[in-house]
Amino acid sequence: MADIKLRGLRKSYGAHEVIRGVDIDIADGEFCVFVGPSGCGKSTLLRMIAGLEDISGGTLEIDGERVNDVQPRERGVAMVFQSYAIFPHMSVRENMAFGLTISGASKAEKAEKVQRAAEILQMEHLLDRRPSQLSGGQRQRVAIGRAITRNPSVFLFDEPLSNLDAALRMDMRMQIGKLHKQLGATMIYVTHDQVEAMTLADKIVVLRDGLVMQSGSPMELYHNPANRFVAGFLGAPSMNFLEVEVLEADSENAKVARHSMDPIVVPVRGRKFAPGDTALLGLRPQYVTPSTPDEGVLHGQVSLVERLGSETVVDLAMEDGTSLIAAFSEDKQFERGERIDLAFDPARTHLFHPDE
Amino acid sequence: MRSSLTSANRAGWAFALPGIVLILAFIITPFFLGVGFSLTNQRLISPNATRFVGLENYREMLNIAVVDLQAKTDSAGKTVTDADGQAEFPRLRSITRNPDTPQYHGMQEWFRWVSGDTAHVVIASDVVFWKALLNTCIFVLMVAPIQAAIALGLALLINQKLRGITIFRTIYFMPVVVSIVVVSLLWRFIYSGQNGLLNNMLSFLSFAHFQPVDWLGNPHTALGAIITMSIWQAVGFHMVIWLSGLQTIPPTLYEAAAIEGSSKWQTFRYVTWPGLRHTAVLVLIVITMQAFAIFAQIDVMTKGGPLDSTQTLVFQAVQRGYGMQNIAGGSAISVILFLIVLVISMIQRWLTRER
Ligand SMILES: Nc1ncnc2c1ncn2[C@@H]1O[C@H](COP(=O)(O)OP(=O)(O)OP(=O)(O)O)[C@@H](O)[C@H]1O
Ligand SMILES: [Mg+2]
């Protein structure tokens, strides 16, 4: 078992700095998810922890030891790749026993550990197949099995599910969640997928351009995003940002208004605004509710409706031309072009500076 | 299904025509002509009409036998020995010119081995052919594994991300693009018995204790010298084939192996080598074919000598066909070479088939 500490970690390719000073603490047994837009350096960071990329600056500690210059095999980590990376010429059994074969384990030990991993992953019936005879999900399970047999203290996953279809992805997501509970090992998981991040993580780290934007528990990030980027990144559909003018402000609240929206009082959550400032009002689509012309705060025409069954997503074109996404948690019938009125609870909004 | 490719397509055929004509003229026709000539007594220039002789050329060439000679005995029944105490044997003529054994008529000794009072003599109608066949086989058996292994080693070395690695790739590949004739001429200087580079170097390294050797003029070293030079010359080509095979192996497999704790050798054994199976088949077949066809080096460096120690099948075929104007004999050798290569590549394919 091991905790992981990243201190001022940096990585450059030539003059191009990809990781620009990252500090993260991952506790023993924690499930930590790195999310961020494509190219932000998630994989690079994970590969630095694995030892597949040199570290250009800062320190990496695993279990209290500085491992910057330690070989991958001596770091006690196992990694699962997006492309599976299982050996095509070996059977599933041989693949899963690979780490043990390499370290010269006995036949009996290999058989026992492979059996145990196969039971955990429910794939005992596949052990004698070749990778080419497996589906994508099964291949990924082999890769996870190979990681399990070595009993590592840290598991690293780089987008392990992104090559799978939606149904299988959900299934595997749950399996990985269960696996974490069962093994209690430290896991670091890279993904694009918000749902994976929100459901699996004990801690989410949001990255952007090689910097940590925010880290914390999923709900903390969802309800208290540190900045506009995190607010926009987590949650689907993503948060609406409406340009508003600040009329009054104190340390707790601000009174804001915009064209075609009556003044409302919203919390500032530690930010400072002055009257006359332009600000962005962050409003999650889920917190918008249908209303009446009298009580409604936002008015507009429906320009697009997506009915998902459990949820109805509406794209609203407001009078000044900006668009707003609203998600209603029931199946509701709207016509395109229909005029509707919406309300929201001001306490659930976020106010950001425009240049955040 | 008739696609636009299989249906008559005049423009397509017109583009293919020059190639088809050339292949017909220089590969397919000569192949059948060669098979045909080998069944006749065709000569390059001859006043006499060509005659069909069936398999006579092959019979003549392949005719081989082992005869036993008993050591001479004196009147007391004791073995006669020479000055060195070796048993003396009657001359081979006693058999090959003996009217009682007409089947051995005209055959010559290839080699012999002595056990006790008996000498077993291998005789053949066409000793030069057998020598050429043996030399060719030795050449192939030496060149194929050694060249393939060295090429793989070089490919592994240059398949790294290092500054200036392309310089090494270029250097190793350079001998391939230089004409084999030029390379052979240069190596004649290297191997020269008087002031050759090799002799000079060996003499320098051994502080002048090394006795100079005429590498190409000595029957014991000539074939080895040509084998060495041939391996060096084409190794770059096969290195490039190996390299292309190496680059088809996904890098994540190496990363997975590294994380699992695999050493360099284990990575080679469990990741690299299995990934190179198809490349290995290709390289071995190509080297074997090329090695069987060895000609230019022999022609430039030794002309088959000394004492036929570097005769090879293709060189013999050319020498017979044009040097001795015996087109039929040369064709027969070519056909035999064709059959050998065919059988070997079939065996190789069978051994390396998908299981
Ligand atoms: N070997 C390399 N040489 C140069 N630049 C690289 C190299 N590998 C990655 N980069 C750059 O580093 C940045 C981060 O790459 P990385 O693969 O970590 O992104 P990512 O967050 O994993 O993206 P994705 O979600 O698309 O996988 C990218 O801008 C990429 O172009
Ligand atoms: Mg990535």
Side-chain angles (χ1 to χ4, degrees), chain B residues 135-137 139-141 143-144 147-148 151 173 175-176 180 226 229-239 241 281-298 312-315 337 340-342 344-345 348:
Chain B
N135 287 338
T136 308
C137 290
F139 185 81
V140 172
L141 287 177
V143 169
Q147 194 171 56
F173 194 70
V176 179
I180 180 74
I226 290 184
M229 170 264 175
S230 304
I231 290 175
W232 172 84
Q233 193 264 336
V235 83
F237 179 76
H238 300 289
M239 172 194 80
I241 302 185
V281 176
L282 180 72
V283 167
L284 271 187
I285 290 185
V286 171
I287 294 185
T288 308
M289 304 260 179
Q290 284 180 347
F292 267 112
I294 174 178
F295 168 73
Q297 296 94 305
I298 306 288
T312 64
L313 286 179
V314 177
F315 184 75
L337 180 62
I340 294 173
V341 172
L342 185 71
I344 286 178
S345 46
Q348 274 180 345

Side-chain angles (χ1 to χ4, degrees), chain B residues 63 177 191 196 256 259:
Chain B
N63 191 15
V177 288
Y191 283 144
I259 289 180

Side-chain angles (χ1 to χ4, degrees), chain A residues 259-278:
Chain A
H259 176 72
S260 77
M261 188 181 86
D262 304 330
I264 50 170
V265 176
V266 299
V268 294
R269 301 171 199 269
R271 286 187 180 71
K272 293 217 167 5
F273 295 93
D277 282 357
T278 307

Side-chain angles (χ1 to χ4, degrees), chain A residues 55-200:
Chain A
I55 293 170
S56 316
T59 53
L60 168 67
E61 283 181 18
I62 297 181
D63 207 9
E65 245 177 88
R66 184 178 183 279
V67 293
N68 283 37
D69 307 311
V70 173
Q71 289 292 312
R73 58 168 166 273
E74 276 138 32
R75 295 190 187 189
V77 301
M79 184 154 169
V80 176
F81 296 83
Q82 177 177 354
S83 56
Y84 318 133
I86 50 181
F87 304 110
H89 51 274
M90 293 182 195
S91 69
V92 168
R93 191 187 300 279
E94 289 164 339
N95 259 292
M96 288 176 57
F98 184 75
L100 300 169
T101 308
I102 289 298
S103 60
S106 71
K107 269 208 172 118
E109 185 187 352
K110 282 202 267 187
E112 186 216 311
K113 291 199 167 154
V114 168
Q115 187 60 30
R116 199 177 70 98
E119 273 165 28
I120 294 176
L121 296 167
Q122 295 151 31
M123 51 186 296
E124 291 128 296
H125 59 294
L126 301 176
L127 285 179
D128 292 310
R129 298 228 195 137
R130 297 241 151 201
S132 57
Q133 301 163 326
L134 299 176
S135 71
Q138 290 167 335
R139 284 181 208 188
Q140 198 56 289
R141 269 191 276 171
V142 176
I144 295 173
R146 183 175 64 197
I148 295 175
T149 51
R150 272 176 56 232
N151 202 11
S153 44
V154 180
F155 283 79
L156 306 175
F157 297 87
D158 192 354
E159 304 198 28
L161 309 185
S162 42
N163 287 356
L164 309 181
D165 67 40
L168 204 53
R169 207 168 338 175
M170 179 165 154
D171 189 49
M172 287 292 291
R173 191 176 77 215
M174 293 182 167
Q175 282 218 11
I176 291 177
K178 267 191 237 158
L179 190 69
H180 178 238
K181 303 246 151 37
Q182 214 166 338
L183 301 178
T186 312
M187 296 193 174
I188 306 181
Y189 189 104
V190 166
T191 182
H192 270 117
D193 186 313
Q194 312 220 3
V195 184
E196 282 171 26
M198 299 297 283
T199 53
L200 289 172

